[in-house]
């Protein structure tokens, strides 16, 4: 049996449950009475209607087309839900579905959680808040040509078979917690600025040290998986963005674990971040190279007065030109220790070679950053 609602306006809550076909209509209320002994509704179709609150429960199919619904709540026993060309303020469900299809809709809040679904198809739609929570089944989830404006929240879910195609997240907050992305297809995704992922960051200051480490570990794993997916799909730009954020989160972990013997990682990761932004910056190591070399070469001139070059407010252009020659010659980490008959070998010379080699390495690494992660 099928129930069709066409061109209706229902301002009060509208409850559909295991039901008979007897209906009561007036300007304030449309309700289908519950009766287990009589025939149940097999499907419902709503089109060209405005409904304040709609509850769906225990039926085979539900189809909504070209309608406006303020609150749509889905309970158990819906086999297939299809929504087309509609505006919905809030769609919430903890029911088990076989199929969910949303096409060309505008939904402010869409929350699906703690359920098993065989397939979800979302296309050509706009969401303010899209939440997928504890969807444990390896469902074929496909989101195509869709925009999320405020927040895309995925927690405790498995998106191993998901396909995210032409998804715009540029203006939203991307929140991920304990979710599996491996084998997920992500094509033509417009990621949030800086490829940023959030995970309960509003409460970071309230967490103890162990809980903060666990939170950061989970967030780093999300970055790692997305980096791996992007790299598999030859999107090195996105992979590099996720890699940088993964390393920033690892830096937070290392700082928290420093007392546990992570001193070596603290030095390596810290200097990598400081000098090169984890291999992403070309300018930063170049600035460090020139700055450190200027300091060291002035120390070298001070401890080797026989060179006859020193800083002065009354510069001599001949000495300045000679100083530049020394500067560019000594910036080479494999320069000869004997310069103009003067042996410069010593601790300062060692620091010059070490720092120049380190910063040149960071420069070369940054120049090849799009070659792979």
């Amino acid at each position: 049996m099928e129930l069709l609602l066409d061109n209706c306006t229902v301002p009060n809550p509208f409850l559909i449950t295991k039901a008979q076909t007897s209906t009561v209509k007036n300007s304030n209320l449309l309700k289908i009475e519950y009766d287990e002994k009589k025939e149940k509704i097999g499907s419902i179709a709503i089109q060209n209607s405005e409904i304040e609150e709609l509850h769906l429960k225990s039926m085979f199919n539900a189809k909504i087309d070209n309608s406006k619904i303020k609150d749509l709540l889905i309970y158990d026993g819906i086999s297939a839900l299809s929504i087309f060309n509609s505006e919905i303020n809030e769609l919430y469900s903890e029911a088990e579905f076989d199929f969910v299809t949303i096409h060309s809709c505008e939904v402010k809040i869409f929350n699906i959680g703690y359920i098993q679904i065989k397939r979800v198809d979302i296309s050509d739609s706009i969401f303010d808040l899209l939440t997928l929570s504890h969807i444990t089944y390896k469902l074929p989830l496909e989101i195509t040509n869709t925009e999320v404006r405020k927040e895309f929240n995925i927690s405790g879910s498995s998106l191993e078979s998901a396909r995210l195609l032409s998804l715009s997240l540029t203006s939203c907050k991307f929140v991920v917690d304990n979710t599996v992305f491996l084998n997920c297809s992500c094509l033509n995704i417009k990621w949030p600025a800086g490829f940023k992922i959030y995970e309960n960051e509003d409460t970071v200051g309230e967490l103890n040290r162990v809980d903060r480490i666990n939170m950061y570990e989970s967030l780093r794993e999300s970055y790692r998986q997305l980096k791996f997916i992007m790299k598999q799909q030859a999107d090195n730009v996105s992979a590099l963005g996720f890699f940088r954020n993964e390393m920033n989160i690892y830096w937070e972990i290392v700082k928290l674990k420093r007392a546990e013997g992570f001193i070596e990682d603290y030095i390596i990761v810290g200097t990598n971040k400081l000098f090169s932004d984890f291999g992403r910056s070309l300018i930063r190591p170049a600035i460090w190279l020139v700055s450190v070399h200027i300091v060291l070469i002035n120390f070298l001139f001070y401890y080797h007065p026989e060179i006859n070059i020193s800083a002065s407010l009354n510069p001599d252009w001949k000495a300045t030109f000679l100083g530049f020659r020394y500067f560019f010659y000594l910036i080479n980490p494999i320069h000869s220790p004997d310069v103009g008959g003067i042996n410069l070998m010593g601790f300062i010379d060692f620091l010059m070679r070490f720092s120049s080699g380190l910063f040149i390495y960071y420069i070369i690494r940054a120049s090849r950053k799009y070659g792979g992660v």
Side-chain angles (χ1 to χ4, degrees):
M1 179 171 292
E2 179 175 319
L3 175 66
L4 172 63
L5 304 178
D6 189 358
N7 196 26
C8 297
T9 300
V10 185
N12 284 346
F14 174 23
L15 173 64
I16 296 179
T17 182
K18 297 178 181 177
Q20 58 168 323
T21 58
S22 173
T23 62
V24 178
K25 292 186 180 181
N26 57 45
S27 60
N28 296 320
L29 176 65
L30 174 57
K31 182 178 180 181
I32 299 179
E33 300 291 343
Y34 177 90
D35 190 343
E36 289 186 337
K37 297 179 181 179
K38 296 186 178 182
E39 189 174 11
K40 302 172 186 177
I41 294 175
S43 61
I44 178 175
I46 301 173
Q47 60 190 36
N48 308 311
S49 300
E50 293 186 18
I51 299 176
E52 186 77 10
E53 186 172 338
L54 172 62
H55 297 194
L56 299 178
K57 181 178 181 180
S58 299
M59 60 185 61
F60 186 70
N61 290 318
K63 180 180 179 181
I64 301 170
D65 187 14
N66 196 32
S67 297
K68 293 183 179 180
I69 300 174
K70 184 176 180 182
D71 296 313
L72 174 56
L73 281 76
I74 314 294
Y75 296 101
D76 63 299
I78 303 294
S79 179
L81 173 66
S82 302
I83 306 174
F84 303 96
N85 308 303
S86 298
E87 294 181 21
I88 300 175
N89 184 66
E90 181 173 0
L91 195 164
Y92 179 81
S93 175
E94 289 188 0
E96 292 190 2
F97 294 94
D98 285 339
F99 305 99
V100 176
T101 301
I102 299 176
H103 175 72
S104 192
C105 294
E106 185 167 342
V107 183
K108 289 190 180 298
I109 301 174
F110 181 29
N111 191 327
I112 294 183
Y114 298 91
I115 58 175
Q116 292 187 355
I117 304 178
K118 290 184 179 179
R119 184 173 184 86
V120 175
D121 288 317
I122 300 173
S123 60
D124 302 298
S125 297
I126 298 173
F127 297 86
D128 280 357
L129 171 61
L130 176 58
T131 301
L132 305 175
S133 177
H134 294 86
I135 299 177
T136 56
Y137 192 75
K138 296 180 182 179
L139 74 160
L141 167 67
E142 185 165 317
I143 303 178
T144 306
N145 196 28
T146 293
E147 179 184 1
V148 183
R149 290 176 172 172
K150 292 184 178 179
E151 183 173 314
F152 186 18
N153 192 317
I154 309 173
S155 62
S157 299
S158 172
L159 301 183
E160 292 185 70
S161 303
R163 287 168 52 84
L164 308 180
L165 312 175
S166 300
L167 180 61
S168 177
L169 306 176
T170 53
S171 59
C172 82
K173 183 178 180 181
F174 189 26
V175 182
V176 179
D177 179 19
N178 194 28
T179 293
V180 177
F181 288 100
L182 294 181
N183 301 321
C184 172
S185 296
C186 300
L187 301 175
N188 194 26
I189 305 295
K190 296 179 180 178
W191 298 104
F195 302 91
K196 182 75 172 177
I197 297 176
Y198 297 85
E199 185 186 273
N200 303 321
E201 288 203 347
D202 293 338
T203 61
V204 169
E206 302 173 8
L207 300 177
N208 61 41
R209 176 177 168 276
V210 174
D211 289 339
R212 289 178 68 184
I213 290 174
N214 291 336
M215 188 205 73
Y216 284 136
E217 289 283 9
S218 176
L219 187 55
R220 187 176 77 91
E221 176 61 17
S222 297
Y223 280 125
R224 187 196 67 80
Q225 291 185 51
L226 289 171
K227 176 196 70 177
F228 178 77
I229 292 169
M230 294 297 98
K231 189 176 179 182
Q232 275 193 322
Q233 295 170 176
D235 186 352
N236 285 329
V237 175
S238 298
L240 190 65
F242 288 122
F243 168 74
R244 178 201 177 194
N245 290 327
E246 177 192 0
M247 292 306 298
N248 277 321
I249 293 299
Y250 184 61
W251 171 236
E252 297 298 327
I253 295 171
V254 168
K255 287 193 294 184
L256 290 171
K257 289 186 173 182
R258 184 172 48 177
E260 299 176 7
F262 275 66
I263 299 299
E264 183 178 343
D265 277 2
Y266 182 82
I267 295 172
I268 294 173
V269 179
T271 53
N272 202 327
K273 176 179 175 63
L274 177 64
F275 296 143
S276 71
D277 195 18
F278 302 113
R280 291 198 66 192
S281 175
L282 185 68
I283 301 299
R284 188 180 297 186
I287 292 174
W288 275 102
L289 173 63
V290 173
S291 301
V292 172
H293 197 62
I294 287 174
V295 173
L296 291 177
I297 201 168
N298 275 282
F299 274 112
L300 188 74
F301 291 156
Y302 177 79
Y303 285 106
H304 289 275
E306 64 271 25
I307 298 177
N308 198 26
I309 297 176
S310 62
S312 173
L313 296 177
N314 300 306
D316 178 86
W317 291 111
K318 182 177 180 181
T320 300
F321 179 74
L322 182 61
F324 272 111
R325 289 184 61 187
Y326 272 102
F327 181 89
F328 288 108
Y329 180 78
L330 296 175
I331 205 169
N332 181 358
I334 57 172
H335 63 259
S336 171
D338 189 18
V339 181
I342 303 172
N343 192 327
L344 302 179
M345 186 174 290
F347 182 66
I348 296 176
D349 184 57
F350 167 76
L351 290 179
M352 294 176 68
R353 294 172 185 271
F354 178 81
S355 61
S356 295
L358 178 66
F359 296 131
I360 289 172
Y361 161 74
Y362 282 135
I363 292 171
I364 294 173
R365 181 186 177 194
S367 69
R368 301 184 68 255
K369 62 183 179 180
Y370 294 115
V373 179

